[in-house]
Every structure is written in C-alpha cells, then in structure tokens.
Amino acid sequence: MNDDQLLRYSRHILLDQIGIEGQQALLDAQVLVIGAGGLGSPAAMYLAASGVGRLTLVDDDTVDLTNLQRQIAHTTQRVGQPKVVSAHTTLADINPDIEVIALQERVSDARLAELVAAATVVLDCTDNFATRHAVNRACMAHKVPLVSGAVIRFDGQVSVFDPRTGTQPCYSCLFPQDQQFTDEACSTMGVFAPLVGVVGSMQAAEALKLIMGIGASLAGRLLLLDGLHMEWSSMRVARDPACPVCGDESAHCALPV
C-alpha cells in the first residue's frame, strides 16, 4: 500500500482483527456482485469504500424513476442509463483506486461459471429464485463463498453459503430448487426503502469478513429482520443429504436459535 492508501484505510488498519494484512487481502480480492439495484447498491458502495480491489457488477436492467426510492447508487439524472454504468460512476467517485467492471448482461450458466470461478466472494443481490439457484450452483461447483440477501415489504433476510468447508448447507438446502416458490416483486408488493440498505450493508460486511478470514460468518444461519417491528431472529440451517447441489451424509433442519 502507498501512503494515500494507508491513510484512506487507516480506520480499518487500526482494528486488531484487520490490520495491514487484512486490508491488503481486500485490495487483492475480486468480488462479484450480481444485481445493481436495492441490495447491490449499498453492498457495492461499502465494498468499494472498504478497498476491495476489483468489483464486477452484473445487471441487465436500466435505471427507472421507481428505483430511486431505494437504489441509492443511482440518481435522477441517470434514469434510462444501464444500472451497471450508473453504479460504476458512483463507485468511481467513492474510490477511484479500485477497478470496477460493469457488465450489462443477463448471464447464462456458462458465463456465470466463468465469472464465479474468478471471484473471491460472490454477492447475490437479485430478486428471483431462478437466478439465485443458478448463482448457488455456480458457487458450489467452484467452491466460492456466496452471500445471499433478500428484502420484500418490511421483511429482510441474509445468509452465507460457504462450500469451502464441505459441511455447510447451500441455498438449495434452504429453498430446494425442485420446489415451486413464488417470486414476489417489489413492483407489486412494495418494499420499505431503508431495509435494502440494512441487508445490502450486511452482505458487504459478511463478504469483507470472508475475504479477510475474520470473525464468524452467517454460514449455517439465516438471519431474519422484521423491519416493521425492528426485531431480529435467526435460524440454524444444516446441509440436506438429499440436496442435488451439495448433498452429503448430514441431516437437514431449520431450527430457531
């Protein structure tokens, strides 16, 4: 790190759990953020500010006026722009020293596998089960940690699925890919704006911890937020031995903690 970087990241470096080694790990990391909307905005902004050296943003959508209530990486002047282009501008303003790659595309399984294989950590900031399962399959296949978040109405959730240990569950253990789940779009159901900031920021925090190897991640736990009453709850999630994505000999359960 040069003198400017030592100053920029000094408040991280002061933390015993991070120090220069941890900050260097962030600078050397590559993070893939899929979705540049409500969750992807705060997640990417904190990752950029924290000094993640290379951020790849994937989203095929454009900025709409209805996005601006919660998608804080975008501005009124950028309505109509690709979200990844708008987010790239925001992240470059936050931290011009990092590399940001903006991909305006809906990735196929093959393309997703290519992007995931190059990543240190993946953040799923999407809003539909099909994409979440595709991202999960790619992460499990390439043994790359996945940080997943979701928000609808006043409810949020976040978890980590880490295949590196060989004992943790994957997203499909929690929401089996062969079962039918209804995608609830905020365009019809609504979403309380600050909750995407809370959950997206938590996704960034989990990703940073995974990169630096500090603390305990949310792997094996699903953290739930009732934003209307501001109550948190947590559920343990174990690996499903019959899961077609990551199954092994352990039992599956979801128990309150």
Side-chain angles (χ1 to χ4, degrees), residues 8 31 51-52 58 77 91 147 223:
R8 177 184 284 268
V31 176
V52 169
V58 180
Q77 292 74 23
L91 301 183
V147 185
L223 193 60

Side-chain angles (χ1 to χ4, degrees), residues 170-190:
C170 74
Y171 184 82
S172 185
C173 294
L174 184 60
F175 298 104
Q177 61 181 3
D178 58 354
Q179 292 185 15
Q180 294 295 319
F181 294 96
T182 302
D183 287 316
E184 296 182 323
C186 58
S187 60
T188 56
M189 305 301 294

Side-chain angles (χ1 to χ4, degrees), residues 4-249:
D4 286 343
Q5 289 174 317
L6 288 170
L7 184 59
R8 177 184 284 268
Y9 306 119
S10 60
R11 301 306 188 269
H12 264 177
I13 294 170
L14 286 170
L15 296 171
D16 291 340
Q17 296 88 342
I18 296 180
I20 290 179
E21 295 81 5
Q23 187 61 50
Q24 189 62 54
L26 296 182
L27 292 168
D28 294 339
Q30 300 186 44
V31 176
L32 174 62
V33 180
I34 304 183
L39 296 171
S41 290
M45 290 165 74
Y46 271 112
L47 292 171
S50 297
V52 169
R54 186 176 189 182
L55 279 175
T56 301
L57 308 179
V58 180
D59 198 307
D60 68 341
D61 202 2
T62 57
V63 179
D64 185 84
L65 187 62
T66 61
N67 301 149
L68 302 182
Q69 164 252 14
R70 66 201 176 280
Q71 299 185 15
I72 58 174
H74 314 304
T75 66
T76 304
Q77 292 74 23
R78 299 182 203 152
V79 168
Q81 282 190 14
K83 287 185 179 179
V84 291
V85 173
S86 172
H88 184 288
T89 301
T90 296
L91 301 183
D93 285 342
I94 291 173
N95 191 347
D97 293 333
I98 67 168
E99 180 182 5
V100 180
I101 300 170
L103 302 176
Q104 188 189 11
E105 55 185 277
R106 183 176 290 274
V107 290
S108 64
D109 286 348
R111 177 65 164 144
L112 192 56
E114 176 188 351
L115 293 171
V116 168
T120 310
V121 178
V122 175
L123 276 69
D124 180 357
C125 301
T126 64
D127 60 0
N128 66 87
F129 283 107
T131 304
R132 289 170 186 159
H133 280 296
V135 173
N136 176 67
R137 289 191 298 269
C139 287
M140 296 306 112
H142 293 280
K143 298 190 181 302
V144 176
L146 169 62
V147 185
S148 177
V151 174
I152 194 72
R153 296 185 294 268
F154 290 92
D155 300 313
Q157 65 182 46
V158 61
S159 189
V160 169
F161 304 101
D162 191 346
R164 296 174 300 177
T165 65
T167 60
Q168 297 294 342
C170 74
Y171 184 82
S172 185
C173 294
L174 184 60
F175 298 104
Q177 61 181 3
D178 58 354
Q179 292 185 15
Q180 294 295 319
F181 294 96
T182 302
D183 287 316
E184 296 182 323
C186 58
S187 60
T188 56
M189 305 301 294
V191 61
F192 187 46
L195 288 194
V196 295
V198 173
V199 173
S201 297
M202 292 183 68
Q203 287 182 264
E206 288 298 294
L208 296 174
K209 287 162 52 186
L210 287 165
I211 293 167
M212 294 184 288
I214 64 172
S217 80
L218 282 171
R221 287 190 293 150
L222 176 67
L223 193 60
L224 303 165
L225 172 61
D226 174 355
L228 195 58
H229 301 95
M230 206 49 67
E231 294 179 349
W232 293 92
S233 60
S234 178
M235 302 185 76
R236 290 193 300 267
V237 181
R239 203 168 180 184
D240 181 358
C243 176
V245 179
C246 73
D248 65 4
E249 300 300 319

